[in-house]
Amino acid sequence: MPSHPLQVALITVVGIVLFVTLQRKTRPFVLLTNVKLILTGLTIGGCVGILWAASLGQRYLHWQQLDGEIQQDVTIEGRIAGISNNTRSSRLILEQLRIEGKAWPSELKAVIYYYEPDKHFIVSQQISAKVRLKPARAVANPAGFDTQKWYVSQQIVRTGYVIGHQVALVRPSLTLRSQLQQTLSALQVTGDKWLQALMFGDRTGFTNEDWALLKATGTAHLFAISGLHLALAGGVMLICVQCVSVLCRASRFRFASLLPLQWVCMLLGSTAYAYCANWQVSVTRAYVVLCVWICLWSWSRRLGHSNVLLLTATICLVIQPEAVYGMALYLSLGAVAIIMLIHWRWRSCFRAEVPWWRKLLIMQGLMSVGLIPMTLFMFQSVSWVAPVFNLLLIPLMTLAIVPACLVGLLLLLCCDADSVLLRTYLNLVGSCIDRILLLLKWGALRIEDGVGTALLSGSQSELLAITVVILGVVILPFAGKYRLMLVILFVCIYPSLLPWFAKKSELIHYFDVGQGSASIVTRNGRAVIIDTGAGFSDTGSYAESVLLPFIQQHGLTVDLLIISHGDNDHAGGLEALKRTYPELTMLSPDNGCESGMQWMWQGLQFETFWPLANSDITDSDNNRSCVVKVSGQYHSALFPGDIEASAELALITQLNRQTEQGLLNADVLLAPHHGSATSSTEAFINAVSPRYAIFSQGWLNRWGFPNPQVVDRYQRRSVTTINTSKTGYLRVDMGKSLTIQQYRQIGPWYHHAF
């Protein structure tokens, strides 16, 4: 997000460039008027683009931070734009908001959670609810799904939850799309969730197992409505026009050219399908391309493929500017760009005399390789079996399943809900898709049993990315490519050749996991996890959404898991980690952790000071917390769990009996019990004497952590206090100079802004 002075500077640059380019040669700026037009266009376009993006960001922040950052109970009314149902809750995305009777801009949205729902709603219904609202602010971590980015991409400015069950239907759904969806749901046909995805772009019915299967086989894109599906919809209309043309010729009926009619019908068919798909980003991109081609044909103009792609990207960003923060736009345009590159580089492979099956193999193989870098960058993993599965499924989906779904959509529109033909046909199509997915699952299981996971991630993906980059440099035709390949290869392998330079750092990672605690100690590519954050019965855990993606992204090997105590906010992701690492060694109060343990790990010393065996102070889970100290050559960090005042006093008393002083001293302290008033006594703070105290707590949490009096105790002793809810993820480097990096300061603007 550019600052205001930078925005003024950009406006000045645009003004100067425009003024200079409009001068005549007789004026003083004669030397500058010979600048190429393309350079002028790039300068003006770049500055205007940055200013436009800044204005959109400033507008979003204005509405996001309106009325301050305090929780409020309000009455909200809105139209349901999306629903995600879990076992214990429903997540509703509302648009066309009215908050306390005041209308908000139509493009702004709110997310509300409805716990233990006793009413069920559908998309496009208008509801009213009594909710506890706050600005849409998510946790900030360098790995895993970026919820804050998703908020920005969807223009979501408020989040909250329904108070009790105070929610009511104001107006039923009146849109044709939602009525068709309701009809399909009411039929309860086989494979309903797959049909919903292919007909309406609604994938909320997919389970975690479904997503895992699609990810492992690299076939998730087949169940997302894209330009291919839109082209098929237009093609169906084109075939209908051709059939009419044949009939007219057979009856010797004379008519003018049917080409304009073909374009119109194709556009109508594509528009109808795009409407059913709710104008998703990839669909909008394909629709814009179609409109551009029709306009160029109407005006008898020619435009290069690359220019059409750039024009399409520009129009899409004007229509849906928030799409720049999503993945769909990049995947959609990237796939088209790769197809164009393949046709340009290997034009001879796609001549008319080349067999169609060879064209298919070449295109699929090159597309799979070309999409690997983008997939790795966005998802931190890639399926190495995806080319095989896609080679088999893409023709089947393109030539059979998607056209069958389009016919089903027409039947939904034309037939009654109780039609036997409709039910039989949709059951048949759904059963076919189910069988395909069963075969897909069978193949994935055989691969998993034979060679392990189908996903390449971590260090494997880094090696694969290097290979793809080198391959790209080799195959592209330009001078000096071999020198460039050597440079890229050297840059990629340089850290691996110098492990003492790249991996010797003693790092502690404190993650932003809301009202909970999760940390990882790393060195030499290995890791020790200390607590996992909370788990949720219906939506997974922070271990799955934050810790495992981080481990995967950095290619870490986990050696040990330490659980301070069994409360959900510290151990909620235990089961997820056990599933991922069945043989992982674990240390906890119930599994061997007690005072007096010491061991060395990767040059770091680990010590446990608590709990005492047979102590009467450990009367609660909090006071039984495993207290661990991690010491490097220069600095140390203490993890006291949730011990409270009585345990703190007993711990200090125990250590005072030992001859060596300062055992509890640490440079960095994870404040006990998240900054609760029942912990962080003055005696404990004095015994630890930290330079930094980190409060791992949730933003606007209901307990008011950290307690202001506790914060004051630390600050009166010149201890720097840090709240993860404000800073996000923290990276502590315990080298010669202790440094702490705050993610919200170095991350994207939408994290830095909060």
Side-chain angles (χ1 to χ4, degrees):
M1 178 70 69
S3 61
H4 286 24
L6 180 56
Q7 293 180 42
V8 172
L10 290 172
I11 294 173
T12 304
V13 168
V14 171
I16 292 174
V17 172
L18 284 174
F19 178 72
V20 168
T21 54
L22 293 175
Q23 302 304 303
R24 296 181 178 178
K25 291 185 178 181
T26 56
R27 298 197 177 179
F29 296 99
V30 62
L31 295 178
L32 298 178
T33 54
N34 294 323
V35 178
K36 290 185 177 180
L37 184 62
I38 186 171
L39 183 60
T40 302
L42 287 174
T43 303
I44 296 175
C47 293
V48 171
I50 294 173
L51 289 169
W52 185 56
S55 66
L56 292 173
Q58 295 288 0
R59 182 177 183 276
Y60 176 81
L61 289 178
H62 167 73
W63 286 97
Q64 168 75 304
Q65 298 175 345
L66 199 66
D67 297 329
E69 296 183 345
I70 48 177
Q71 291 176 300
Q72 303 176 43
D73 294 346
V74 298
T75 299
I76 185 171
E77 184 178 318
R79 176 180 174 270
I80 299 177
I83 299 178
S84 179
N85 294 313
N86 298 301
T87 54
R88 295 183 57 251
S89 66
S90 295
R91 186 186 71 182
L92 309 176
I93 302 176
L94 301 182
E95 60 185 3
Q96 300 176 11
L97 303 175
R98 296 185 67 88
I99 299 179
E100 293 293 342
K102 178 183 176 182
W104 284 40
S106 59
E107 67 273 13
L108 300 182
K109 300 182 182 71
V111 170
I112 63 172
Y113 291 86
Y114 185 19
Y115 296 104
E116 305 293 347
D118 61 350
K119 304 180 184 70
H120 297 282
F121 303 101
I122 61 173
V123 173
S124 298
Q125 287 182 335
Q126 194 90 5
I127 66 169
S128 176
K130 189 75 171 179
V131 299
R132 172 70 60 89
L133 273 188
K134 62 181 179 181
R137 188 176 190 271
V139 297
N141 295 287
F145 183 73
D146 193 337
T147 306
Q148 191 71 62
K149 184 178 180 180
W150 180 73
Y151 286 159
V152 177
S153 69
Q154 299 296 315
Q155 293 291 288
I156 293 170
V157 295
R158 288 290 184 272
T159 62
Y161 60 90
V162 177
I163 299 173
H165 293 85
Q166 300 183 61
V167 58
L169 178 65
V170 174
R171 190 180 303 115
S173 175
L174 300 176
T175 64
L176 177 61
R177 176 179 181 269
S178 62
Q179 290 175 10
L180 294 176
Q181 272 194 276
Q182 292 177 53
T183 302
L184 177 58
S185 299
L187 290 173
Q188 296 182 345
V189 297
T190 305
D192 172 77
K193 58 185 175 183
W194 311 114
L195 294 174
Q196 292 279 4
L198 291 173
M199 292 182 181
F200 303 103
D202 183 3
R203 300 190 290 180
T204 57
F206 289 10
T207 64
N208 291 334
E209 291 183 357
D210 295 332
W211 284 116
L213 174 62
L214 296 177
K215 183 178 180 181
T217 55
T219 54
H221 65 97
L222 296 178
F223 294 93
I225 296 180
S226 63
L228 174 64
H229 301 74
L230 200 70
L232 287 172
V236 169
M237 298 299 294
L238 202 59
I239 292 172
C240 293
V241 175
Q242 291 291 350
C243 292
V244 172
S245 173
V246 171
L247 292 175
C248 289
R249 287 193 180 97
S251 62
R252 297 182 180 180
F253 178 75
R254 294 186 178 184
F255 51 84
S257 173
L258 286 180
L259 190 57
L261 180 61
Q262 290 176 352
W263 282 117
V264 171
C265 291
M266 190 175 182
L267 187 61
L268 288 175
S270 300
T271 304
Y273 195 40
Y275 166 76
C276 290
N278 207 25
W279 294 101
Q280 298 175 6
V281 173
S282 56
V283 176
T284 302
R285 190 271 309 163
Y287 188 80
V288 168
V289 170
L290 178 61
C291 292
V292 168
W293 280 114
I294 292 176
C295 291
L296 290 174
W297 173 82
S298 302
W299 298 333
S300 300
R301 299 292 180 87
R302 295 182 61 86
L303 202 62
H305 296 303
S306 57
N307 289 330
V308 171
L309 187 64
L310 290 173
L311 179 60
T312 300
T314 302
I315 295 173
C316 288
L317 288 176
V318 170
I319 297 173
Q320 298 175 322
E322 65 278 0
V324 73
Y325 298 106
M327 298 181 183
L329 180 67
Y330 302 103
L331 289 172
S332 180
L333 293 175
V336 175
I338 290 171
I339 293 174
M340 291 167 51
L341 177 63
I342 292 171
H343 274 282
W344 167 75
R345 184 65 179 88
W346 290 277
R347 189 176 304 161
S348 60
C349 298
F350 298 95
R351 294 194 302 264
E353 61 269 19
V354 177
W356 66 268
W357 57 267
R358 185 180 296 178
K359 295 178 183 178
L360 178 64
L361 286 174
I362 294 172
M363 178 58 72
Q364 182 57 45
L366 293 175
M367 276 285 292
S368 299
V369 174
L371 285 172
I372 285 173
M374 193 184 306
T375 305
L376 286 173
F377 178 76
M378 292 185 176
F379 304 107
Q380 288 79 52
S381 64
V382 64
S383 173
W384 62 270
V385 297
V388 178
F389 284 111
N390 279 283
L391 190 62
L392 297 173
L393 289 183
I394 285 180
L396 181 61
M397 296 291 290
T398 303
L399 301 176
I401 299 300
V402 174
C405 289
L406 291 173
V407 173
L409 200 55
L410 290 174
L411 290 176
L412 274 175
L413 187 62
C414 301
C415 299
D416 294 331
D418 56 353
S419 170
V420 176
L421 172 63
L422 178 63
R423 182 184 296 274
T424 304
Y425 180 82
L426 292 178
N427 257 317
L428 177 62
V429 177
S431 299
C432 291
I433 300 175
D434 256 358
R435 288 182 180 275
I436 292 172
L437 268 295
L438 285 175
L439 290 174
L440 197 67
K441 185 175 182 180
W442 178 85
L445 289 175
R446 297 290 76 78
I447 292 171
E448 187 174 341
D449 293 339
V451 295
T453 178
L455 292 174
L456 294 177
S457 58
S459 57
Q460 292 174 306
S461 66
E462 293 169 8
L463 178 61
L464 195 57
I466 294 171
T467 306
V468 172
V469 170
I470 295 174
L471 181 62
V473 173
V474 170
I475 61 178
L476 292 178
F478 61 89
K481 60 183 178 181
Y482 296 109
R483 296 176 186 174
L484 179 59
M485 180 184 67
L486 290 175
V487 171
I488 293 174
L489 182 62
F490 177 76
V491 170
C492 291
I493 68 174
Y494 181 70
S496 301
L497 295 175
L498 298 175
W500 58 269
F501 174 78
K503 295 184 177 180
K504 202 172 181 180
S505 299
E506 303 165 358
L507 302 177
I508 300 180
H509 312 268
Y510 297 88
F511 293 93
D512 182 10
V513 291
Q515 188 58 37
S517 177
S519 309
I520 297 181
V521 183
T522 62
R523 200 178 191 212
N524 298 329
R526 309 192 78 85
V528 173
I529 301 174
I530 303 178
D531 287 336
T532 69
F536 310 97
S537 60
D538 55 347
T539 56
S541 64
Y542 280 115
E544 296 168 282
S545 62
V546 175
L547 298 188
L548 289 176
F550 181 86
I551 293 168
Q552 181 185 45
Q553 184 180 35
H554 292 83
L556 300 173
T557 300
V558 182
D559 294 330
L560 178 65
L561 170 62
I562 300 175
I563 298 294
S564 63
H565 63 298
D567 285 357
N568 179 62
D569 59 338
H570 290 252
L574 180 57
E575 292 303 319
L577 291 175
K578 283 183 177 179
R579 288 194 302 269
T580 307
Y581 307 107
E583 306 298 326
L584 181 61
T585 303
M586 187 181 76
L587 186 67
S588 69
D590 297 322
N591 195 34
C593 181
E594 61 180 30
S595 178
M597 300 174 65
Q598 293 186 15
W599 68 94
M600 296 297 295
W601 175 83
Q602 299 295 319
L604 299 176
Q605 183 178 18
F606 282 70
E607 302 172 85
T608 59
F609 299 119
W610 194 260
L612 288 175
N614 303 319
S615 173
D616 58 354
I617 301 299
T618 56
D619 54 348
S620 66
D621 282 343
N622 285 346
N623 279 335
R624 291 181 66 240
S625 294
C626 186
V627 178
V628 181
K629 181 179 178 181
V630 182
S631 303
Q633 184 178 357
Y634 303 102
H635 303 286
S636 59
L638 186 67
F639 298 85
D642 278 357
I643 60 172
E644 297 179 322
S646 57
E648 290 178 357
L649 180 60
L651 173 59
I652 296 169
T653 302
Q654 170 212 351
L655 295 179
N656 286 339
R657 296 195 187 107
Q658 302 183 20
T659 55
E660 187 177 351
Q661 299 296 318
L663 286 177
L664 211 58
N665 286 357
D667 297 285
V668 181
L669 169 66
L670 185 63
H673 205 181
H674 318 285
S676 166
T678 61
S679 305
S680 296
T681 59
E682 294 186 3
F684 182 76
I685 297 174
N686 291 333
V688 179
S689 299
R691 290 171 55 188
Y692 299 94
I694 298 173
F695 298 103
S696 182
Q697 40 72 239
W699 183 63
L700 293 181
N701 63 86
R702 57 182 174 178
W703 298 278
F705 295 161
N707 184 278
Q709 295 179 353
V710 171
V711 175
D712 184 61
R713 285 180 210 156
Y714 283 103
Q715 293 179 345
R716 280 191 282 108
R717 289 161 180 78
S718 300
V719 179
T720 302
T721 57
I722 301 174
N723 294 9
T724 57
S725 64
K726 295 181 179 179
T727 64
Y729 157 87
L730 297 170
R731 180 178 180 269
V732 178
D733 189 339
M734 298 199 304
K736 287 186 179 181
S737 59
L738 184 68
T739 59
I740 298 181
Q741 191 178 79
Q742 302 178 11
Y743 184 67
R744 287 195 187 273
Q745 289 186 351
I746 64 171
W749 68 267
Y750 43 82
H751 285 304
H752 180 69
F754 301 104

